[in-house]
Amino acid sequence: MSRTGRRPGESDTRADILTAARRAFAQRGYDNATMRGIARDADVDPALVHHYFGSKQGLFVAAMEFPIDPAAVLPGLLAPGLDGLGDRLVRFFLSVWESTGDKSPFLALIRGAVSHEESASLLREFIGREVLGRVAAAVDATEPELRATLVGSQMVGLAMARYVIRIEPLASADVETVVAAVAPTIQRYLAGSLTA
Amino acid sequence: MSRTGRRPGESDTRADILTAARRAFAQRGYDNATMRGIARDADVDPALVHHYFGSKQGLFVAAMEFPIDPAAVLPGLLAPGLDGLGDRLVRFFLSVWESTGDKSPFLALIRGAVSHEESASLLREFIGREVLGRVAAAVDATEPELRATLVGSQMVGLAMARYVIRIEPLASADVETVVAAVAPTIQRYLAGSLTA
């Protein structure tokens, strides 16, 4: 063992796993891809895949170069409870986009999803399970899954209008203005009445 | 003159104008393209372009195969006033998507906008001027333009989540459920408080 704990070739192995993972997710979708199948495809021990990436979700986040790991971030946003959750979610979502801008991996995902059914399906499964599933679990009201997808619809639309299409004055509005305008929408979807 | 009032070659002329229009909008954008320039490019009299399409907006709608003409539709939706406007806008928007589905020209526009800056710019100018501009003019509150773009953000996100990414249960929810959930968001953006 070297003193750093890195074996020669470790970064190659890691890269091989990520390549195999991207292929598996593209071909099988998020739900059907397995850590074991990806390990086999990369010709490495499955334990090594677990060692590097922890879980299928961690592997997906790394393979897709997601700016955040929902498993690491969402519990902290959800923990204080429903009170103020809309505000926390909008603020966090904007902070990720503001810091990555045009380079946002979200943008690459959205591009893929509107152009290819396989990419739409991948995004649908991952966001559905790892993001909206966690949000839905925090909801204490009727129809938690519908509520989570409504939250998703406003977040995606906010990103499209502000960062992709860049329509003014929303594109240049300061973060506090956007949070004040949009957080009550998210809060109502999470905890308010969904009937007119 | 033939008895139908159609000259031989009329459909060719119309097609030539539409081709020239698509080129002009792509190269110059919506704001900078002119009826006169498009007529010159198609080698026809400007009066003929006006005769066939009425206005630059009508020409754009025809060239882009827009499912609706905002100038024809929005006045009717806006006329009854702000009361219930959120409901009317969501209901109309959904009816257009429900009837066109995967074939929606909106989808082609969104695809273009996330992939090419020129398409994003074209969509931004047209939607900004002809759709959101009309909505903003109907708003009787502070920051009408910001309100109109917030409405746009939720509409685009609803289309993305329900029709493009097709995330459940929002994708399969019936129209009345979606209207009940989303119309109050639109109504608040149009007429409610934008500060927390």
Side-chain angles (χ1 to χ4, degrees):
Chain A
M1 291 282 274
S2 79
R3 309 244 327 243
T4 64
R6 292 208 159 232
R7 297 167 304 126
E10 171 169 328
S11 66
D12 285 351
T13 303
R14 211 174 172 280
D16 288 347
I17 295 170
L18 289 174
T19 301
R22 280 186 208 103
R23 191 162 48 219
F25 288 129
Q27 289 176 352
R28 298 170 184 275
Y30 182 72
D31 288 348
N32 288 324
T34 64
M35 298 281 272
R36 182 164 295 274
I38 289 166
R40 193 185 318 121
D41 197 29
D43 200 20
V44 301
D45 192 288
L48 205 58
V49 181
H50 277 280
H51 172 70
Y52 286 155
F53 301 103
S55 64
K56 180 162 82 172
Q57 188 212 257
L59 181 53
F60 184 85
V61 164
M64 300 295 157
E65 299 177 41
F66 246 57
I68 58 152
D69 179 351
V73 166
L74 276 173
L77 292 169
L78 298 171
L82 282 166
D83 200 30
L85 181 54
D87 187 288
R88 295 196 298 281
L89 289 176
V90 175
R91 205 173 283 281
F92 176 75
F93 186 73
L94 290 175
S95 76
V96 174
W97 277 92
E98 298 287 324
S99 63
T100 54
D102 275 1
K103 309 284 179 294
S104 176
F106 285 152
L107 187 52
L109 280 174
I110 290 178
R111 282 204 175 109
V114 297
S115 303
H116 308 289
E117 168 51 28
E118 314 85 77
S119 306
S121 157
L122 197 57
L123 190 63
R124 183 165 60 234
E125 291 176 7
F126 179 75
I127 298 283
R129 190 170 301 273
E130 306 293 354
V131 180
L132 302 183
R134 288 170 197 275
V135 172
V139 166
D140 180 26
T142 56
E143 310 198 69
E145 292 82 12
L146 179 64
R147 289 171 183 276
T149 55
L150 287 164
V151 168
S153 80
Q154 175 62 88
M155 293 296 203
V156 166
L158 179 57
M160 288 286 295
R162 182 171 163 94
Y163 301 107
V164 180
I165 306 174
R166 293 203 302 281
I167 198 145
E168 294 294 359
L170 184 55
S172 302
D174 63 46
V175 167
E176 291 306 320
T177 299
V178 179
V179 170
V182 176
T185 297
I186 304 299
Q187 191 68 31
R188 183 179 144 267
Y189 288 155
L190 290 167
S193 166
L194 292 190
T195 51
Chain B
M1 290 282 273
S2 77
R3 309 241 330 240
T4 65
R6 292 207 159 233
R7 297 167 304 127
E10 171 169 329
S11 67
D12 286 352
T13 304
R14 210 172 173 281
D16 287 348
I17 295 170
L18 289 174
T19 301
R22 282 185 206 104
R23 190 163 49 221
F25 288 130
Q27 289 175 353
R28 298 169 184 274
Y30 184 72
D31 288 348
N32 288 325
T34 65
M35 299 279 272
R36 181 164 295 275
I38 289 164
R40 193 185 318 120
D41 197 27
D43 201 20
V44 301
D45 192 288
L48 205 56
V49 181
H50 277 280
H51 172 70
Y52 285 156
F53 302 102
S55 64
K56 180 163 81 171
Q57 188 211 255
L59 181 53
F60 184 85
V61 164
M64 299 297 158
E65 298 177 42
F66 244 57
I68 58 152
D69 180 351
V73 167
L74 276 172
L77 292 168
L78 297 171
L82 281 166
D83 200 29
L85 182 54
D87 187 289
R88 294 196 299 280
L89 289 176
V90 174
R91 204 172 283 280
F92 176 75
F93 186 73
L94 290 175
S95 76
V96 174
W97 276 93
E98 298 286 325
S99 63
T100 54
D102 274 3
K103 309 285 177 297
S104 176
F106 285 151
L107 187 52
L109 280 174
I110 290 179
R111 283 205 174 109
V114 297
S115 304
H116 308 290
E117 167 51 28
E118 313 85 77
S119 305
S121 155
L122 197 55
L123 191 62
R124 182 166 61 233
E125 290 176 7
F126 179 75
I127 297 284
R129 190 170 300 272
E130 305 294 352
V131 180
L132 302 183
R134 287 170 199 273
V135 172
V139 167
D140 181 26
T142 55
E143 310 197 70
E145 291 83 12
L146 179 63
R147 289 170 183 276
T149 56
L150 287 164
V151 168
S153 80
Q154 175 62 87
M155 294 295 203
V156 166
L158 179 57
M160 289 287 295
R162 181 171 164 93
Y163 301 107
V164 181
I165 306 175
R166 292 203 304 280
I167 198 146
E168 294 294 357
L170 183 56
S172 302
D174 64 45
V175 166
E176 291 307 319
T177 299
V178 178
V179 170
V182 176
T185 298
I186 304 300
Q187 193 66 30
R188 184 179 143 266
Y189 289 155
L190 290 167
S193 167
L194 292 189
T195 51

